[in-house]
Amino acid sequence: MNYKKVKRYTVLGILFFLPVTFLLFLYPATHNYTPLDIVNTNVADIYQFEDLSENSVVFKDHITVLGFIGRNPEQQLVALSNLKELVYDKFKGFKKFQIVVVAPKGTESAVKELESEISSYEDLKFWHYVFGEPDAILDVYGSLKWHSNLERDLSTDQVFVIDKDLNQRGRLDDRSEKAVEKDETPYMLYSYDCIEVSEIKNKMNDDLRILLTEYRQKRKGNFNSDIRRAKDLKD
């Protein structure tokens, strides 16, 4: 008997079956991870808005990244380019994920030019530009939690995350670990700045992954809703 061969095959067998066994133990378990916080409820849907093809787009039953580009869409080129490259390209394959960008009626031609610059001839199937009256845009924005008003042209560099049940998602406590150690005053994160690349990479993408995981676990029946993402504040 060739003991070297037996030893080699035994080691290879252990290396193969050990990870598989570990995954089998994990598979039936309920995944107790910390979901992304609900920072606001009852976000106004956009049934009265229409996209470039005059079709209706809605938030309900979708995971939505929502932006506002106002009356001067060309000025939002940098923010939307960041959103496309750092967010859309990462998450466009996930079920029910979409990006919705709101603009006032009358800006359709400018938005088409902006779209051609951002898309680079790529079909942005899950990216929608929708148009509405100024009052309707203000109503949607007013249903969100935010740190600052829209600009006079109805634009903002901030984008918002809306879940399938019209809840706004974010962070109840956005302090860093060092800030928590120093016992600094807690503050919430309602939106994400598309000009700040580091904020998109380090916060927004992480939060979206957590939210998408939540819905994936719900489909599997493994979601535990008793745990919140942010730690309970001592006060």
Side-chain angles (χ1 to χ4, degrees):
M1 180 181 294
N2 192 329
Y3 290 101
K4 288 186 178 180
K5 284 187 176 181
V6 172
K7 183 178 179 181
R8 183 170 67 238
Y9 291 136
T10 301
V11 171
L12 289 174
I14 292 172
L15 291 175
F16 176 77
F17 286 107
L18 187 60
V20 173
T21 304
F22 178 71
L23 290 174
L24 288 174
F25 274 112
L26 289 180
Y27 181 75
T30 298
H31 295 267
N32 294 330
Y33 70 98
T34 313
L36 188 62
D37 289 319
I38 295 174
V39 297
N40 183 37
T41 59
N42 298 320
V43 174
D45 214 328
I46 50 172
Y47 298 105
Q48 72 272 41
F49 290 70
E50 293 181 342
D51 67 8
L52 287 169
S53 301
E54 298 185 353
N55 296 317
S56 177
V57 177
V58 297
F59 300 149
K60 182 68 176 174
D61 296 325
H62 292 81
I63 297 171
T64 305
V65 174
L66 172 64
F68 298 81
I69 56 174
R71 297 188 181 92
N72 303 293
E74 66 281 356
Q75 295 182 6
Q76 299 299 316
L77 177 59
V78 173
L80 293 190
S81 295
N82 288 343
L83 193 63
K84 192 268 180 188
E85 294 174 10
L86 301 175
V87 179
Y88 182 81
D89 287 349
K90 284 182 178 291
F91 298 104
K92 61 184 178 182
F94 285 87
K95 191 174 183 179
K96 294 296 184 178
F97 173 78
Q98 65 178 2
I99 289 182
V100 175
V101 179
V102 174
K105 287 185 176 180
T107 62
E108 286 85 351
S109 295
V111 167
K112 286 181 181 179
E113 292 182 13
L114 179 65
E115 181 183 36
S116 64
E117 291 191 53
I118 294 172
S119 66
S120 300
Y121 304 102
E122 179 184 352
D123 180 20
L124 301 184
K125 181 179 179 181
F126 307 105
W127 183 302
H128 308 286
Y129 296 94
V130 298
F131 303 88
E133 299 294 342
D135 286 345
I137 294 174
L138 290 172
D139 286 342
V140 173
Y141 194 76
S143 72
L144 299 164
K145 286 281 188 182
W146 35 261
H147 294 293
S148 60
N149 292 315
L150 284 174
E151 300 293 337
R152 289 186 177 182
D153 68 348
L154 302 177
S155 71
T156 179
D157 294 331
Q158 302 290 318
V159 293
F160 304 81
V161 174
I162 314 298
D163 71 17
K164 294 182 179 183
D165 299 307
L166 304 181
N167 298 312
Q168 181 181 344
R169 298 297 190 105
R171 302 185 182 191
L172 293 175
D173 187 354
D174 191 34
R175 292 176 297 173
S176 64
E177 290 183 3
K178 290 184 178 180
V180 173
E181 290 174 0
K182 293 179 180 179
D183 200 24
E184 295 181 6
T185 303
Y187 56 91
M188 296 185 185
L189 178 70
Y190 299 131
S191 58
Y192 308 84
D193 191 341
C194 279
I195 299 298
E196 296 291 336
V197 172
S198 61
E199 183 164 321
I200 297 175
K201 286 185 174 181
N202 299 329
K203 293 185 180 181
M204 186 176 182
N205 283 349
D206 284 348
D207 289 355
L208 280 171
R209 275 192 288 268
I210 290 169
L211 182 57
L212 289 164
T213 299
E214 175 185 324
Y215 278 102
R216 184 166 63 247
Q217 296 304 331
K218 283 181 177 178
R219 289 198 301 271
K220 293 179 178 179
N222 293 331
F223 178 66
N224 185 345
S225 62
D226 294 332
I227 305 173
R228 297 195 60 80
R229 185 182 190 283
K231 295 179 181 178
D232 291 335
L233 304 180
K234 292 182 180 179
D235 56 350

